[in-house]
């Protein structure tokens, strides 16, 4: 069964998903953790090499190892999909797709048929 619906003419543009302050802060913390934290760690590494002591270098290595070994839930796990962060990012990145079902390559999109092995041959 498709998770899409037929296109309908709208009288006015659709409003984006409303974001609460908590959702905005969660999305912002995601961006900070994924876009800013690596640069901060790189900067701390350079600083510890140039100006820091052995203790500073050991601290940078400890933080890097901690971040590398931190257990993250699998992308398809229920915990990852239902977390407050996932819901906030879903609202932040909400979008609407238009799929032409008459196109044979797009016909099975967003349906369980897309995972069938015989469909893979169409894309290769």
């Amino acid at each position: 069964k498709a998770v899409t619906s037929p296109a309908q003419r709208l009288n006015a543009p659709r409003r984006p998903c409303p974001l609460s302050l908590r959702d905005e802060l969660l999305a912002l913390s995601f961006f900070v953790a994924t876009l800013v934290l690596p640069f901060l760690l790189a900067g701390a590494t350079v600083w510890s090499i140039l100006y820091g002591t052995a203790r500073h270098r050991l601290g940078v290595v400890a933080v890097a190892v901690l971040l590398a070994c931190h257990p993250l839930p699998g992308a398809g796990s229920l915990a990852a999909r239902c977390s407050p962060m996932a819901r906030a990012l879903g609202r932040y990145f909400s979008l609407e797709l238009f799929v032409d079902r008459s196109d044979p390559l797009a016909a099975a999109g967003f349906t369980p048929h897309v995972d069938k092995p015989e469909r893979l041959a169409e894309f290769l």
Side-chain angles (χ1 to χ4, degrees):
K1 181 181 177 217
V3 294
T4 58
S5 61
Q8 298 174 359
R9 185 171 300 280
L10 299 175
N11 295 332
R14 270 198 194 159
R15 293 173 21 122
C17 289
L19 283 175
S20 66
L21 180 61
R22 178 178 183 248
D23 288 343
E24 288 186 24
L25 291 175
L26 281 171
L28 182 65
S29 68
F30 171 80
F31 290 126
V32 167
T34 57
L35 300 175
V36 176
L37 189 60
F39 290 108
L40 287 178
L41 188 59
T45 302
V46 170
W47 179 87
S48 70
I49 290 171
L50 296 177
Y51 304 109
T53 63
R55 187 173 180 176
H56 291 126
R57 290 184 200 106
L58 184 61
V60 168
V61 169
V63 168
V65 168
L66 177 74
L67 291 174
C69 297
H70 185 273
L72 295 174
S77 73
L78 187 61
R81 289 180 294 166
C82 296
S83 69
M85 177 71 75
R87 290 192 307 267
L89 289 174
R91 288 185 198 102
Y92 186 85
F93 289 110
S94 64
L95 57 100
E96 191 170 325
L97 296 175
F98 296 99
V99 179
D100 182 10
R101 295 282 179 198
S102 64
D103 180 5
L105 290 176
F110 305 101
T111 68
H113 301 295
V114 78
D115 294 325
K116 291 185 178 177
E118 58 269 14
R119 296 285 303 168
L120 184 60
E122 295 177 21
F123 296 102
L124 298 177

